[in-house]
Amino acid sequence: MTDHDWVAWHEPYDDAGSPLHRRLQAVQHHLRGALAAVPPGRVRVVSICAGQGRDLLGVLDGHPRRDDVVARLVELDERNADRARQAARAAGLDGVEVVTGDASRSDAYAGAVPADVVLACGVFGNVADADVRGTIAFLPQLCAPAATVVWTRHRNPPDLTLTIRGWFDECGFDEIAFDAPGDAFFGVGVHRLRISPPPLRAGVRVFEFVGFDARSG
C-alpha cells in the first residue's frame, strides 16, 4: 500500500460527469447484468481492493437479487473499509462482509470462493504489468464455473487494455463487453470464465500494489 490518501481519492465519484463517476456508472451497469444472469439461489461476489465498495453497494441497494448476494469486500485501508461497512449496514445488506485485509494475498478469499462475480476494479492501474498478467492468471481460482469478472484499467499511453484483453483470453475467459469512451481515458471490461476453475491455493502473493503515482514515475 502506498502513502496516497485513498479516502480522498474516492471524492470524484460524487462529481457527476467526472471520469471516476462515469467509470463507476459503467461498472455498475455491467454488474447489474452479471448479478441478474446468475441462476436462482445464492450469488457469491468477491471484490478485490474494494475501496468503499461503491460499485457493489450502489447496485445492491434496490437490485432484485440483493437478498441473494453473499459478498466479501477486501480492502486494506481501514478508513475505506469502515465506510464500506457502514454503507452496507445502513442499506441492510446483511450478506455483505467487509474485510480489512491485504487483497494481494490469496488467503484473503478463503471461505468466500468460488464466486459467481469477481470485481477487479481499480487494481490493474496500480500494479506492474507483469502483476496484471499474474493476477488475471490467478482469477480463475476465485471463480465458480462460468463466473463473470468485471475489471477496470486506465487507457493512458501506453494503453495496456488491448493486451489485458488478450491475457484474459489466454487464461480461459471469453470477452462479454469492453467499454472505452472516446472522451475519457478509462476502460471497463467484462469477461466470463470458460474453463473449469482450479481450487484456491493458500499462501499465494498475487500482486504488489504500488499505486498509480509510482507506476507513472
Side-chain angles (χ1 to χ4, degrees):
M1 195 69 171
T2 68
D3 293 331
H4 196 86
D5 186 344
W6 292 104
V7 173
W9 183 90
H10 284 73
E11 292 176 359
Y13 277 128
D14 296 321
D15 297 335
S18 72
L20 270 184
H21 179 82
R22 293 175 59 192
R23 191 188 79 173
L24 176 63
Q25 289 182 312
V27 169
Q28 289 180 334
H29 168 74
H30 291 298
L31 182 53
R32 288 187 186 95
L35 294 176
V38 177
R42 183 178 64 180
V43 182
R44 277 191 165 182
V45 181
V46 162
S47 181
I48 304 170
C49 299
Q52 297 175 4
R54 297 190 182 210
D55 39 21
L56 179 62
L57 299 180
V59 166
L60 290 184
D61 192 10
H63 195 283
R65 301 298 300 273
R66 58 168 283 155
D67 294 330
D68 296 333
V69 171
V70 177
R72 179 176 295 177
L73 282 58
V74 184
E75 168 59 34
L76 187 59
D77 188 285
E78 294 182 3
R79 298 170 299 162
N80 280 329
D82 188 57
R83 293 194 181 195
R85 208 171 283 119
Q86 292 178 24
R89 190 180 304 117
L93 298 171
D94 298 333
V96 175
E97 174 193 22
V98 181
V99 173
T100 304
D102 188 348
S104 73
R105 304 284 184 172
S106 64
D107 294 347
Y109 309 99
V113 296
D116 302 292
V117 180
V118 177
L119 298 174
C121 300
V123 180
F124 294 160
N126 291 287
V127 303
D129 293 355
D131 276 356
V132 175
R133 174 65 174 81
T135 302
I136 294 170
F138 167 75
L139 287 175
Q141 296 184 41
L142 302 182
C143 291
T148 299
V149 175
V150 182
W151 58 274
T152 65
R153 161 75 189 212
H154 67 79
R155 295 185 293 116
N156 295 328
D159 183 1
L160 192 67
T161 57
L162 182 60
T163 302
I164 289 173
R165 294 160 71 187
W167 286 338
F168 267 98
D169 179 64
E170 293 173 7
C171 293
F173 292 87
D174 291 326
E175 184 170 279
I176 304 303
F178 181 71
D179 295 347
D183 60 344
F185 286 99
F186 68 81
V188 177
V190 185
H191 282 75
R192 182 167 297 143
L193 186 69
R194 67 169 180 266
I195 63 173
S196 297
L200 180 68
R201 291 177 53 204
V204 175
R205 176 70 175 268
V206 183
F207 57 84
E208 180 182 1
F209 193 99
V210 296
F212 177 79
D213 293 341
R215 281 188 45 80
S216 302

